Amino acid sequence: MHISLDSATDVVTGIRFPEGNRWHEGRLWYSDMHTGEVFSIDPTSDTAPRLEATVAGQSSGLGWLADGRLVISSMESRTVVAVDDDGTSSVFADLSAVEPSLLNDLVVDEATGRTYIGAFGYDLYGGEDLRPGPLYVIDQDGSFRLAAEGLVFPNSANVLPGTRTLVVSETWGGRLTAFDIEPDGSLTGRREWAALPEGVTPDGSTVDRDGAIWVCSVDTGEFLRVVEGGEVTDRTDAPGQCAIDCALGGEDGRTLYLATADSYDPATTAQTRAGRISAVRVSVPGW
């Protein structure tokens, strides 16, 4: 399948930089990264997005712990914030003493309740030269440890359905890297899961029932469905846009929500507010 974003249906518009797309309990959840806010929306209704939380600094990845609490990657404070049902928030894990660079996306392993989160590895916005970044694992009590290092801008991650395999996007590496998840949460067996087409810079991602990963190429404005080994089976073009994140959801799991913006520069998005989340129908549902 090869389509254009022009044929998609808008779900949310007028936001700055939509990140952390997740489908959870019948609602689409997302961060507006450049405001630090987290929202959810029922795409089937006419109601406006509901503000769920605000963090100090940029908000990114979202997930849910085993006890039901929402967790949010607070990039600039280098913490993971947990939000209770009543909206009360607190620091779940504070990585600021060990990680000097901004935190990035996260994923919660539903089988164990552990959270995996990456960090930039260098000061991207300050113009520092590229350095590889780390991936941390956070246990359910908020304690954390290094899980992997040497990743070229570790970004989104997914646990493949029916497996104990974690696949991580390396944005500036142009590849998806797999690890085996051990019983204690440590990662072993590092290997290339897919080398992506030249120029593709994988940012956000989601996984479908068949174990294929839908990746967003932030620099080339594309959403690609990739199977292990690197074959691209589906493509949605978003010309002139940053393709930031995606999530599979909807009643039957066959709606792909696509997050785009006109820039990843906060000064630009503050003026344009051109970020949006759109929806297209796909053949394979999420899991």
Side-chain angles (χ1 to χ4, degrees):
M1 182 177 71
H2 191 173
I3 63 174
S4 170
L5 195 64
D6 293 338
S7 64
T9 302
D10 283 342
V11 177
V12 183
T13 60
I15 53 182
R16 289 178 59 183
F17 197 86
E19 263 282 12
N21 287 17
R22 306 287 188 267
W23 184 261
H24 180 69
E25 295 184 346
R27 298 178 69 85
L28 177 68
W29 295 65
Y30 62 93
S31 294
D32 193 345
M33 192 178 94
H34 290 168
T35 68
E37 297 170 310
V38 175
F39 296 90
S40 73
I41 187 171
D42 177 358
T44 66
S45 75
D46 294 329
T47 57
R50 183 173 71 200
L51 179 64
E52 301 285 355
T54 303
V55 302
Q58 296 179 336
S59 54
S60 183
L62 308 177
W64 285 264
L65 301 175
D67 60 12
R69 285 182 296 167
L70 168 69
V71 285
I72 307 164
S73 169
S74 180
M75 300 173 67
E76 292 176 342
S77 66
R78 306 191 300 286
T79 62
V80 176
V81 174
V83 183
D84 291 319
D85 288 340
D86 63 2
T88 303
S89 62
S90 59
V91 174
F92 173 63
D94 185 348
L95 286 76
S96 61
V98 300
E99 182 49 55
S101 67
L102 298 184
L103 294 185
N104 210 341
D105 208 346
L106 62 77
V107 64
V108 176
D109 178 5
E110 294 183 359
T112 65
R114 294 188 179 98
T115 301
Y116 293 88
I117 186 168
F120 284 23
Y122 70 110
D123 186 358
L124 170 66
Y125 300 120
E128 191 174 25
D129 289 341
L130 172 67
R131 289 197 307 271
L135 188 69
Y136 296 95
V137 56
I138 306 172
D139 288 308
Q140 292 195 56
D141 62 359
S143 61
F144 58 88
R145 60 194 187 277
L146 185 67
E149 54 188 338
L151 296 160
V152 186
F153 205 81
N155 210 319
S156 62
N158 296 277
V159 180
L160 300 185
T163 77
R164 301 304 300 140
T165 301
L166 181 77
V167 179
V168 181
S169 297
E170 292 189 67
T171 300
W172 309 136
R175 61 178 171 261
L176 304 178
T177 298
F179 297 90
D180 298 318
I181 305 173
E182 299 298 334
D184 66 352
S186 61
L187 300 178
T188 61
R190 179 173 176 168
R191 58 201 180 273
E192 183 177 89
W193 192 83
L196 300 176
E198 184 176 357
V200 170
T201 50
D203 192 337
S205 62
T206 190
V207 64
D208 65 29
R209 179 191 60 192
D210 291 347
I213 295 179
W214 299 76
V215 299
C216 312
S217 178
V218 64
D219 281 350
T220 61
E222 300 170 280
F223 298 86
L224 310 175
R225 182 180 185 266
V226 182
V227 298
E228 186 173 6
E231 179 187 357
V232 175
T233 66
D234 298 80
R235 184 189 305 264
T236 300
D237 296 324
Q241 298 292 304
C242 300
I244 305 164
D245 208 350
C246 57
L248 282 162
E251 184 176 349
D252 61 0
R254 296 178 188 270
T255 300
L256 182 65
Y257 296 97
L258 310 170
T260 59
D262 59 341
S263 173
Y264 43 71
D265 172 40
T268 299
T269 65
Q271 298 297 317
T272 60
R273 300 193 73 92
R276 62 174 175 164
I277 301 176
S278 308
V280 296
R281 296 288 290 167
V282 298
S283 59
V284 180
W287 63 295

